[in-house]
Each structure stands twice: as structure tokens, then as C-alpha cells.
Amino acid sequence: MSQDLLHWKQLKEKNDASAIKYFYDQYIKLLYKYGYHFCQDASLVEDCVQDLFLRLWEKRSSLGDTDNVKLYLMVSLKRSIYEKLKKNSKTTVTEEVPEDTFDVTFTMEEQIISSETDQLTKDKLLECLETLSGRQKEVIYLRFYNGFTPEEVSEIMQISNQSVRNVQASALKKMRNNMDDPLLILLVGKIIESFFTEI
Amino acid sequence: MSAIDKYIENKEFVTWVLGDVSKDDYWNKYLEENPEEKENIDKAIDWVKQVKVKDHYFSAQRERELWKEIDQKIADSNSPIKTKTISFKNTWWKYGAAVIVLGIIINFYYRNFVPQHHVDTARKGFTNNITLPDGSTVNLNAGSSISYDKKSFKAGRYISLKGEAFFNVEKGQTFQVNTELGTVTVLGTSFNILARKQKWIVSCYTGKVAVKDKDGNQVILTKGKEAVYKNGSFVTNTHSNTQPNWQKGLFKYSNAPLESVFEEIQRQFDIRIIYKDSGIQKLRFSGTISNKNLEKALDIISKSMDINYKIDNKKKEVEISY
């Protein structure tokens, strides 16, 4: 049994408060940084992190079983941030809080820039990354920079296979519009076709 | 435009390199079918892999401070789970007891203090005989109603009246009838009250009745006396009836405005009077009409006043014209 699950069990069955400390030490950095990408308000994220750990303690006897505490904490934090944002927006503006608010700033090391073309390439690449949707950015953040598996990502992001497929189909359509290679269009067309017959 | 631009400008490509495995199939196939692009793609991949994300800085100090806050709050709420369960049960008991006590109080209050208003009505076209809880009887004229509190009635006989009614009161404690303009208090007697709009006439048939208006003006009526309330004061007359005329089905008028005569007819026969010509209401009528037959009653009025009427039985309407 992993250390996480061992502590989870201790918390649930033995009311061991040190388990909270363990999870805090283990995941506070990840949680804080992840949360900050949803809402660029440090004190709100800190409040939500605090609530998350307090709830963990208060609800310890009714906590469900989980096979991955890390994912559980991330999903809970995300939910709690959205709830708080919704609450705040109710009191100030009636505007709804969009669910797709993940934001991240991409950068590149200066060392690799050796020429003007390199500078242009870099600019183009960063520009392209900026146009990604919040969900796409979140996938990249989780997969590439935090090493989560695709299964873990879909669990954290609470996306079903069906909706993943839908997103893919529309993404391919978009891509076909971007590319001008006739061979590519043919290929993409076939892939999209296969997607739709699957659905 | 450099050869790798079309890749690094392509969102699908970039997200694929940065971990979106849902695009694996597509790009692997693309590579397979475009082997000449492999070099460019590899270059593009190298580029994309240089991309970093900026995370918000979370200082070690802030990390310690936040934990202190959490730890403090955990300590504050920290009671072993066992006592927590017991205190939960305790509150259950308390809530349960509170609900029962509250129920008893509400029930007690409801039974003893909340008035239970009872209303008796005589519809238009009908009279209604009512026996009150103390045995007194009330004969309600058409289009009239009384209301009283069933619970407190025996302790203090208070009744509200709208319209006209004949009371035959059993001996006992104070019996008071409240009307819009004032009250009638008795000790065991029979009397008639007419209290409609601004009209208020009290007739005593047996015993003794005290009639009092809202300003405190009062007259005492004995058998055969009648008080008519007009412009804020009482005028006392005598009458020789043993029973109000309306109980015999008779309505006696002397120089009464036709409007009030027709109002009574509307109540007695449950019809609607429509005045086709203006001014008819103001005419004055003297005579006696019966509530047994509408046509006969209208005949008596129309002949003495020289007016015409038309009965519409379906609509229950009577048109009055010159």
C-alpha cells in the first residue's frame, strides 16, 4: 500500500491528525500552484486550500475510499475554488463564472535563441500557445509539467470519454481549416469520419 | 517562413507534443505517411519542449504560516470522534424534547387563546335559524351573518352581526352584539337588530336591552321600545309588534327611499335590480311588501310609485324604469 493510502486509512480509522500534516507537506505546493492557475488571487486560493484540509479533518469519518489521494485533493480544490468564485460573483456581479478559466503563462529559455529566425520561431510558438483554450492549457499543465497520465488527467478534469471524443472531433475540424496540404485534408477527413462512425 | 513554422503554429501539434495523447494516432500516422517531414517535426518537437510554464511563487514562509492556521483550527475543533457522537446524540435528545414541549405549548395556546371564529350566514333569498352554544337562538334575515368565538362564547357571550337578526337570548351572563356602529348588550331577552351600512335599528321585544354606540352614547330599551340610530344619536320609538315584520315575511316602509326597499328585495329574493332610468332610487315609498312572491311585491311598489318593471328569470334580474 502506498504511503498516501496508508495515511488516508490512518486519518479515517484512527483519527490521526498527523495524516493531515503529511498530506499538507506532500501536496501543498502542487495544490497551491494548480489552484492559482484558476484564479489569480492568492488569498482566495489560500482560503480554499485551508478549507480543503479542514474539511478533510472534519469529514474524516465519512470520507470515501479513494485510490489516489493526490487526485482527490486536486479535484476537491478545483471545485472549492469554483464554488467560492461563484459565491463572490453573486454578491458583486451577476455574471456567471466560466468553468474554463485555467490560465497559464508560457515562457522559453533565452539560451536557445541564437538568431533572428529563432526569435521569430519563439514568438510564433508562444503566440500559438496563448490561443489555446483553458482546457487545453490545463491538459498540458497536468500532462507535460506535472507528469500525470492521460487517465489521471481525465479524472482530474472530470471529462468523460464521450466528451473527450467530441472535443477531438471539433479540434480536427479546426485543424483541417488551418492546414493547406491536400494530402493532409484527405487524411484528416478520414480520421474525422472514423470518429463520427464510432460515436 | 521556416520549415518548422507550420508545426509550431499549429495548436494540435503543440498540444500533442505537450502531452495530449489523444492526438498520438493522428501525428504518428502523419509521420508515417510523410517520412520526409520527420526532420522538421523533430526540430519542431525540440522547440516546443523548451516551453516552460510560469507557476505562481509560493514561499516556504507562506507555506509554514498557512499550516499554522490550519493546525490551529484543527486543534480548536479537535475532540475525539467518540464524544462528538455522544454530543450529537445529546443534541438529538434536546431537539426532540424541544419539539415536544413546543408542540404542547402550541396546542395549549391554540386551545385556550386562539379564537375559533365561527360564522353563520343567511344567504340571499333565505333566512337562517341558529342556536348558539348557550341555547340562545338567532334568526338571521336574508343576506346577513353573525360570527362568534366558539371557545370563549360561554365565558362571555360576544357576537358580531352584519345585517339583520332577531335574537332570543337565554338568561345568563352579559350577551353582547357588536355591530359596525355600536354594541347592544342584554341580559336575557328578545330583540331585533338591523345593522346594515349606516342604518342601525334595535327593537326590544321582551326584557331589557342596552344599546351603545362607539362614542359611548347609550339608550336602554324595554319591551315595545325601538331605537333608531341617526346622525350619531338615538331616537327612541315605540312599536306594538310581538315579532319583527321580516320574520313574518313582511317589510313595512314609511317614506323610505326606494333604493333601500329594492336592496331588501334583492336580499329577500336573491335577484339583481337594474335601474334603467336615473332618479328612481331617490323616490320615497310607504307601504308593506311581502317576501313570499316577487311579482306581488313589485306590483305593490310599481303601482304606488308609477314605475315599470321587467323580470328576467334566467338572469335573475329585474329592470326598473319609468
Side-chain angles (χ1 to χ4, degrees):
Chain A
M1 195 186 277
S2 74
Q3 280 294 306
D4 275 11
L5 294 182
L6 219 64
H7 281 95
W8 188 256
K9 216 175 158 197
Q10 272 184 318
L11 174 66
K12 275 186 67 174
E13 290 164 14
K14 298 194 175 131
N15 304 310
D16 187 352
S18 72
I20 302 284
K21 171 73 171 154
Y22 166 82
F23 290 127
Y24 182 86
D25 287 343
Q26 207 71 12
Y27 298 123
I28 179 63
K29 283 198 181 72
L30 170 75
L31 288 170
Y32 178 84
K33 287 172 181 178
Y34 178 61
Y36 195 83
H37 288 295
F38 289 103
C39 154
Q40 287 68 50
D41 175 346
S43 70
L44 189 143
V45 176
E46 282 185 18
D47 280 354
C48 289
V49 167
Q50 203 177 93
D51 287 351
L52 173 65
F53 283 102
L54 288 175
R55 252 203 324 272
L56 212 57
W57 177 246
E58 280 158 12
K59 301 252 153 76
R60 60 192 180 278
S61 57
S62 57
L63 283 175
D65 284 318
T66 180
D67 49 4
N68 196 326
V69 181
K70 193 175 171 182
L71 300 193
Y72 174 92
L73 293 174
M74 289 173 80
V75 173
S76 301
L77 178 67
K78 187 173 167 178
R79 195 178 303 133
S80 129
I81 287 173
Y82 275 133
E83 268 161 26
K84 209 155 243 177
L85 285 174
K86 248 177 218 166
K87 224 188 247 168
N88 289 354
S89 76
K90 246 180 217 163
T91 51
T92 52
V93 231
T94 47
E95 205 179 310
E96 260 185 50
V97 180
E99 292 278 318
D100 188 23
T101 57
F102 194 91
D103 196 25
V104 68
T105 309
F106 293 98
T107 58
M108 284 185 87
E109 307 262 330
E110 289 297 318
Q111 290 98 293
I112 61 159
I113 312 295
S114 56
S115 68
E116 209 171 310
T117 29
D118 282 356
Q119 183 61 47
L120 270 173
T121 306
K122 178 196 164 189
D123 290 346
K124 277 177 186 164
L125 180 54
L126 291 181
E127 211 174 281
C128 174
L129 283 161
E130 280 315 308
T131 64
L132 295 176
S133 75
R135 284 193 166 277
Q136 283 172 312
K137 286 178 182 171
E138 191 178 351
V139 171
I140 290 172
Y141 180 79
L142 294 171
R143 281 279 291 129
F144 195 72
Y145 295 100
N146 288 285
F148 286 100
T149 68
E151 290 72 34
E152 287 171 333
V153 172
S154 77
E155 200 175 315
I156 294 170
M157 294 182 65
Q158 314 263 289
I159 316 177
S160 69
N161 287 335
Q162 181 62 59
S163 63
V164 170
R165 242 186 267 155
N166 292 344
V167 170
Q168 280 173 345
S170 69
L172 282 165
K173 238 188 215 167
K174 233 194 227 164
M175 183 161 60
R176 186 173 60 169
N177 296 337
N178 288 348
M179 295 234 168
D180 42 11
D181 191 329
L183 214 145
L184 209 64
I185 291 172
L186 199 75
L187 182 72
V188 168
K190 268 189 185 158
I191 290 171
I192 289 171
E193 220 170 86
S194 75
F195 269 126
F196 281 117
T197 47
E198 235 177 275
I199 293 160
Chain B
M1 178 170 159
S2 92
I4 65 165
D5 279 7
K6 76 168 173 185
Y7 296 111
I8 62 155
E9 281 178 348
N10 185 311
K11 271 190 220 177
E12 309 308 317
F13 179 81
V14 171
T15 53
W16 169 58
V17 176
L18 294 179
D20 187 351
V21 289
S22 68
K23 297 178 177 98
D24 275 0
D25 284 351
Y26 173 83
W27 287 105
N28 287 335
K29 210 166 185 182
Y30 176 82
L31 258 170
E32 224 173 85
E33 294 180 10
N34 303 279
E36 74 284 357
E37 284 291 305
K38 191 173 185 318
E39 198 186 330
N40 287 332
I41 286 178
D42 284 344
K43 237 188 234 168
I45 289 174
D46 282 344
W47 265 95
V48 174
K49 285 197 168 169
Q50 298 301 320
V51 174
K52 299 261 182 300
V53 293
K54 254 192 202 160
D55 264 321
H56 190 252
Y57 178 64
F58 188 58
S59 71
Q61 194 198 339
R62 197 67 204 112
E63 187 181 325
R64 281 194 300 273
E65 282 168 6
L66 190 60
W67 171 253
K68 256 188 205 165
E69 284 174 43
I70 294 171
D71 199 30
Q72 186 56 51
K73 282 182 182 164
I74 286 177
D76 287 347
S77 73
N78 206 353
S79 51
I81 205 135
K82 263 185 191 167
T83 53
K84 228 183 174 181
T85 333
I86 289 164
S87 72
F88 180 65
K89 275 182 185 161
N90 267 343
T91 27
W92 253 110
W93 268 105
K94 280 174 198 161
Y95 280 130
V99 166
I100 291 165
V101 169
L102 198 68
I104 291 168
I105 290 169
I106 288 169
N107 192 30
F108 180 79
Y109 179 78
Y110 188 76
R111 280 187 184 206
N112 295 284
F113 298 109
V114 175
Q116 241 188 23
H117 276 292
H118 181 81
V119 180
D120 281 306
T121 307
R123 282 197 292 132
K124 285 181 180 175
F126 296 91
T127 60
N128 192 0
N129 279 309
I130 295 140
T131 305
L132 296 172
D134 68 334
S136 302
T137 57
V138 183
N139 188 200
L140 273 180
N141 196 356
S144 306
S145 69
I146 54 162
S147 69
Y148 57 92
D149 181 6
K150 262 192 165 171
K151 261 181 224 143
S152 65
F153 189 80
K154 282 202 173 152
R157 302 184 289 177
Y158 295 95
I159 281 188
S160 294
L161 167 72
K162 267 185 190 155
E164 185 166 18
F166 180 81
F167 292 84
N168 200 333
V169 177
E170 289 292 310
K171 283 213 165 78
Q173 284 174 295
T174 309
F175 188 103
Q176 185 174 311
V177 183
N178 298 313
T179 69
E180 203 158 294
L181 293 174
T183 59
V184 180
T185 314
V186 290
L187 278 167
T189 178
S190 62
F191 59 99
N192 187 74
I193 307 173
L194 193 167
R196 290 196 198 277
K197 293 178 185 170
Q198 289 306 299
K199 209 168 170 186
W200 188 27
I201 303 168
V202 181
S203 317
C204 182
Y205 292 87
T206 59
K208 213 177 187 182
V209 185
V211 186
K212 198 177 186 180
D213 73 3
K214 292 199 164 148
D215 298 330
N217 300 319
Q218 185 177 301
V219 287
I220 307 287
L221 298 177
T222 50
K223 185 183 175 184
K225 295 277 186 226
E226 180 176 85
V228 179
Y229 192 63
K230 244 180 194 169
N231 304 323
S233 64
F234 293 103
V235 178
T236 318
N237 301 320
T238 50
H239 68 87
S240 54
N241 299 327
T242 50
Q243 162 183 29
N245 279 325
W246 67 265
Q247 282 191 319
K248 293 183 267 181
L250 294 173
F251 296 85
K252 213 173 180 177
Y253 297 95
S254 72
N255 204 27
L258 256 192
E259 191 176 16
S260 67
V261 177
F262 280 129
E263 267 178 21
E264 192 63 52
I265 284 176
Q266 290 190 101
R267 280 192 293 269
Q268 295 300 324
F269 296 101
D270 192 19
I271 48 116
R272 216 154 66 87
I273 299 286
I274 291 159
Y275 298 101
K276 282 289 172 188
D277 293 297
S278 61
I280 297 180
Q281 297 101 304
K282 300 273 182 286
L283 296 175
R284 301 224 159 226
F285 172 77
S286 296
T288 304
I289 52 169
S290 160
N291 68 354
K292 300 287 180 290
N293 186 311
L294 175 62
E295 227 166 309
K296 261 188 195 167
L298 290 170
D299 274 344
I300 290 167
I301 300 168
S302 65
K303 270 176 194 152
S304 76
M305 306 306 292
D306 199 16
I307 54 172
N308 296 307
Y309 68 90
K310 209 172 97 193
I311 301 173
D312 185 334
N313 277 320
K314 263 189 197 160
K315 285 190 187 165
K316 292 174 107 185
E317 277 176 3
V318 177
E319 280 181 13
I320 306 292
S321 60
Y322 282 118

